[in-house]
């Protein structure tokens, strides 16, 4: 049996922009999604630390080195520039895989620079 567990997390990212007119998703700096082990088009949960909002969307790659976190489409109404968020990705693991599984967690500072991973 497979069980769903935390796979990756980007913790305390700062929203740099929101774009209501875009079709949907969250745009994240390509370098940061690689560090977290998150793939483009992967479904993620977004948790807004400032206002308590929680929603699901998918990831698209932003410009490498830009430090961008831009929520697009209807979800843009749920965040504001400067809000701190947590991005969570899950995956399914077998009982055997869970014996050695450790999620990849990337912690950022207020400039979206990596503190630890």
């Amino acid at each position: 049996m497979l069980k769903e567990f935390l796979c990756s997390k980007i913790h305390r990212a700062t929203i740099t922009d929101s774009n209501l007119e875009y079709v949907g998703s969250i745009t994240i700096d390509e370098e940061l999604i690689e560090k977290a082990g998150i793939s483009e088009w992967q479904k993620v949960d977004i948790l807004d630390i400032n206002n308590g909002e929680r929603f699901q969307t998918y990831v698209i790659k932003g410009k490498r080195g830009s430090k961008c976190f831009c929520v697009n489409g209807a979800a843009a109404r749920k965040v504001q520039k400067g809000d701190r968020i947590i991005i969570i990705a899950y995956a399914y693991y077998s009982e055997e895989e869970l014996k050695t599984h450790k999620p990849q967690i990337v912690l950022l500072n207020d400039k979206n620079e990596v503190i630890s991973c």
Side-chain angles (χ1 to χ4, degrees):
M1 172 175 49
L2 298 177
K3 295 181 179 179
E4 189 174 24
F5 280 82
L6 174 68
C7 173
S8 305
K9 176 168 79 166
I10 300 175
H11 194 74
R12 298 192 63 81
T14 302
I15 294 289
T16 57
D17 200 4
S18 61
N19 182 351
L20 186 61
E21 299 307 317
Y22 192 82
V23 177
S25 71
I26 182 169
T27 304
I28 302 174
D29 178 327
E30 182 176 17
E31 180 180 345
L32 296 174
I33 61 173
E34 287 174 359
K35 285 188 183 298
I38 297 173
S39 300
E40 186 171 33
W41 313 117
Q42 185 173 358
K43 181 173 86 171
V44 291
D45 286 345
I46 308 294
L47 292 62
D48 189 309
I49 296 167
N50 294 76
N51 64 23
E53 287 284 355
R54 300 173 67 101
F55 56 93
Q56 291 183 331
T57 190
Y58 60 92
V59 173
I60 58 173
K61 290 180 186 176
K63 181 179 176 189
R64 181 177 289 278
S66 67
K67 308 287 190 245
C68 70
F69 287 87
C70 179
V71 175
N72 303 302
R77 294 196 185 276
K78 296 181 173 281
V79 299
Q80 293 185 22
K81 187 175 179 179
D83 282 2
R84 302 301 295 268
I85 60 169
I86 302 167
I87 298 117
I88 302 174
Y90 304 92
Y92 290 96
Y93 298 94
S94 68
E95 292 292 334
E96 190 62 32
E97 290 171 314
L98 286 171
K99 292 177 183 177
T100 58
H101 172 66
K102 290 189 98 170
Q104 181 64 34
I105 299 174
V106 177
L107 178 61
L108 303 180
N109 66 16
D110 60 354
K111 296 179 182 174
N112 290 334
E113 298 167 332
V114 176
I115 296 172
S116 67
C117 62

